[in-house]
Amino acid sequence: MLINIDFGTRTPIYEQIVLEVERLVTKEVLKPGEQIPSIRELALTLSVNPNTIKKAYDILEAKNIIVSKSTKGTFITDNIKKAKNDKIDDLIKKINQDLKELESLGLSKEEIFKKLK
Amino acid sequence: MIEIKSLSKGFDKKKYVLENLNCKIDDAHIYGLVGANGAGKSTLLRLINSIYEADNGEVLIDGEPVYDNVKLKEQMVFVPDDLFFYPSYSLMDMASYYEALYPKFDMNYVINTANKLKLDLNAKIAEFSKGMKRQCALICALATNAKYMFFDETFDGLDPVMRKFFKSLLADSMEKNGTTIIMTSHNLRELEDICDNLGLLYKGNILFESDIDTLKTNMFKVQISLKDDFNKSTFKGLKILSYKKLGSIATIIIEDDQGKSKEYLENLKPIILDFLPLTLEEVFIYQMEALGYEFNEVI
């Protein structure tokens, strides 16, 4: 699993890992049931504090995107539908924010939609 | 867990370098210590490692006082800012010396790591470059498998590739032994990448500490302009660290939950609303300002 961390941004490293795994899962680059690196492996490859990776994995697990099976390792869950739906909700939210900003510039919804391809 | 209780230390009678310092560091965490030259960072590390005796207060590790505690010292390793090697020692000699002191010392680790770094195990360390000397000291320290490690500006002499390499070794050690690490550096960017918590030492005390992720996300700069006239009290629902208004645009430093702040500000129907992230340097500047200190004399 290839994750690139941008050490320059203000987005916390754990959040970058969560976002990247979500992205890879929703695009099915990481397939359901696929094994992902252990906390130790990822910490060593990225040269990052293992607590940071653990925090990211805990969040991903709470979101039902990964499961850790105690001795076998950590895997992508079989059901990634929810991850996909969450991603869709996120994007819709973003679009709504942009819509609001366009409306504040004096455009009506119809005008905006007309301009969209 | 490391507990520091009302610790004081002075080198002449009039002035304390550390005064009544209290701090707790959880196990399996990396704690970064920042502060100006002379703030007391090295003194604190030397006190923890019983190189100095405290004038007042104490340092406890796992509930026991550390001063001259032989049993605990087997669990602690300290890499100081100014390294010391016996004049004719090679890395191999140095490792054997450490092996005699630390029961869990791993000689194979030294050999393997030195080979990876192409360090000659039998050459005199005195003839090595500054960075190579640091590498030797770090390898020996990590090979002790001590539960508590202390690094005083340790990465400062290493090139970027070595820094990354040793960060991975630290991660490995934390995963293996649940190592607790305290490190100092002047490179805030670097501390930010690997530490769990950061503490700012100023005039002998820890002025402010926080976990890194809160530091990164819960403090930000906002540029805002409203239709109607406004002043600082317009934003009284938020925790404001700094407020500056020029013409019709205000720049505010807010320390609060970002989502909540965004909602609050959007409800004011702003004409302009921009969220700008802060660098760690800026976070410290504004924290210091809020505490009434000037940045220039601090970092």
Side-chain angles (χ1 to χ4, degrees):
Chain A
M1 183 169 72
L2 195 67
I3 289 185
N4 285 307
I5 301 292
D6 181 352
F7 290 102
T9 78
R10 304 304 301 162
T11 312
I13 297 169
Y14 80 89
E15 209 175 306
Q16 293 188 41
I17 297 171
V18 170
L19 290 172
E20 187 61 11
V21 172
E22 277 180 344
R23 195 173 73 96
L24 294 175
V25 165
T26 49
K27 299 207 164 176
E28 294 192 40
V29 177
L30 287 173
K31 305 229 165 38
E34 193 174 328
Q35 184 165 15
I36 61 167
S38 67
I39 291 176
R40 186 192 135 80
E41 283 165 348
L42 198 56
L44 289 185
T45 350
L46 301 178
S47 303
V48 159
N49 187 329
N51 293 335
T52 307
I53 313 280
K54 181 162 189 322
K55 195 168 177 182
Y57 277 21
D58 284 348
I59 293 172
L60 286 166
E61 196 157 354
K63 284 185 162 186
N64 248 328
I65 292 169
I66 62 172
V67 275
S68 63
K69 298 173 187 166
S70 53
T71 52
K72 288 178 192 156
T74 310
F75 299 85
I76 305 293
T77 46
D78 294 326
N79 188 357
I80 56 157
K81 219 184 240 163
K82 196 180 168 291
K84 243 183 185 166
N85 286 337
D86 286 350
K87 182 83 200 168
I88 292 171
D89 288 347
D90 272 0
L91 288 173
I92 296 285
K93 207 168 145 194
K94 253 188 224 156
I95 294 175
N96 273 323
Q97 275 171 0
D98 286 344
L99 271 180
K100 238 192 241 166
E101 183 149 6
L102 283 167
E103 282 177 311
S104 77
L105 294 172
L107 271 76
S108 71
K109 275 214 174 76
E110 292 75 45
E111 284 172 302
I112 298 166
F113 287 131
K114 220 186 271 171
K115 282 178 189 286
L116 289 172
K117 272 181 203 158
Chain B
M1 185 170 69
I2 304 174
E3 270 174 287
I4 298 165
K5 287 187 177 166
S6 39
L7 193 69
S8 298
K9 175 73 186 171
F11 293 100
D12 62 52
K13 287 185 186 94
K14 278 174 243 154
K15 204 173 151 264
Y16 279 115
V17 176
L18 296 179
E19 203 169 358
N20 199 18
L21 187 142
N22 290 289
C23 179
K24 262 187 196 167
I25 293 147
D26 289 330
D27 277 345
H29 277 69
I30 305 186
Y31 191 93
L33 211 50
V34 297
N37 298 332
K41 300 185 298 286
S42 301
T43 305
L44 179 55
L45 289 186
R46 286 181 188 143
L47 280 166
I48 295 174
N49 286 283
S50 331
I51 292 165
Y52 296 152
E53 190 176 1
D55 294 341
N56 261 310
E58 58 181 349
V59 179
L60 303 174
I61 288 187
D62 296 335
E64 277 185 63
V66 289
Y67 191 74
D68 272 356
N69 186 330
V70 178
K71 199 103 204 92
L72 271 178
K73 291 223 76 175
E74 290 176 353
Q75 292 293 332
M76 299 164 70
V77 67
F78 176 40
V79 181
D81 186 16
D82 43 346
L83 300 173
F84 174 80
F85 298 103
Y86 291 107
S88 63
Y89 266 37
S90 66
L91 176 53
M92 205 60 206
D93 298 330
M94 206 60 211
S96 310
Y97 178 70
Y98 271 80
E99 194 178 25
L101 299 173
Y102 290 94
K104 283 192 279 174
F105 193 85
D106 183 353
M107 189 55 92
N108 286 329
Y109 184 92
V110 175
I111 296 168
N112 291 337
T113 316
N115 285 339
K116 262 186 220 162
L117 297 179
K118 306 218 165 26
L119 282 174
D120 186 344
L121 279 156
N122 298 307
K124 275 188 193 169
I125 296 179
E127 286 160 7
F128 282 171
S129 76
K130 187 181 160 200
M132 285 158 80
K133 283 179 183 153
R134 288 234 170 257
Q135 293 171 24
C136 292
L138 276 166
I139 294 170
C140 286
L142 287 161
T144 62
N145 282 310
K147 218 179 133 199
Y148 296 94
M149 298 188 176
F150 306 90
F151 299 117
D152 196 0
E153 295 183 22
T154 301
F155 289 130
D156 293 13
L158 298 177
D159 69 53
V161 178
M162 278 306 131
R163 282 166 194 244
K164 188 166 164 13
F165 180 76
F166 278 105
K167 279 185 210 164
S168 288
L169 292 187
L170 288 188
D172 179 45
S173 164
M174 286 180 82
E175 268 297 290
K176 225 167 41 187
N177 303 326
T179 319
T180 306
I181 296 165
I182 303 184
M183 58 195 306
T184 72
S185 175
H186 285 289
N187 189 340
L188 290 178
R189 274 279 316 114
E190 187 145 79
L191 286 179
E192 176 177 48
D193 290 344
I194 39 171
C195 292
D196 292 293
N197 297 288
L198 270 189
L200 174 62
L201 206 56
Y202 180 76
K203 289 194 175 162
N205 227 312
I206 289 181
L207 256 193
F208 151 79
E209 64 181 347
S210 169
D211 76 276
I212 286 289
D213 298 323
T214 314
L215 267 186
K216 277 187 170 178
T217 52
N218 272 29
M219 227 176 118
F220 41 88
K221 196 191 287 189
V222 168
Q223 273 198 327
I224 190 165
S225 182
L226 303 180
K227 256 192 201 112
D228 305 317
D229 199 29
F230 63 99
N231 55 40
K232 196 175 173 181
S233 65
T234 313
F235 310 100
K236 60 178 180 287
L238 299 169
K239 191 182 172 199
I240 290 173
L241 279 188
S242 154
Y243 178 90
K244 278 180 194 115
K245 193 178 170 202
L246 223 116
S248 58
I249 297 180
T251 306
I252 316 172
I253 308 296
I254 298 174
E255 187 185 11
D256 222 324
D257 181 70
Q258 192 156 358
K260 195 194 108 191
S261 312
K262 202 165 185 176
E263 206 176 303
Y264 184 94
L265 293 170
E266 273 167 357
N267 280 337
L268 298 170
K269 303 256 177 289
I271 307 167
I272 297 174
L273 175 60
D274 289 320
F275 280 78
L276 308 164
L278 291 176
T279 64
L280 197 54
E281 269 92 353
E282 287 177 299
V283 169
F284 278 117
I285 300 169
Y286 291 118
Q287 285 288 354
M288 301 300 298
E289 268 185 19
L291 291 162
Y293 297 101
E294 279 299 318
F295 171 64
N296 290 338
E297 54 171 322
V298 180
I299 292 178

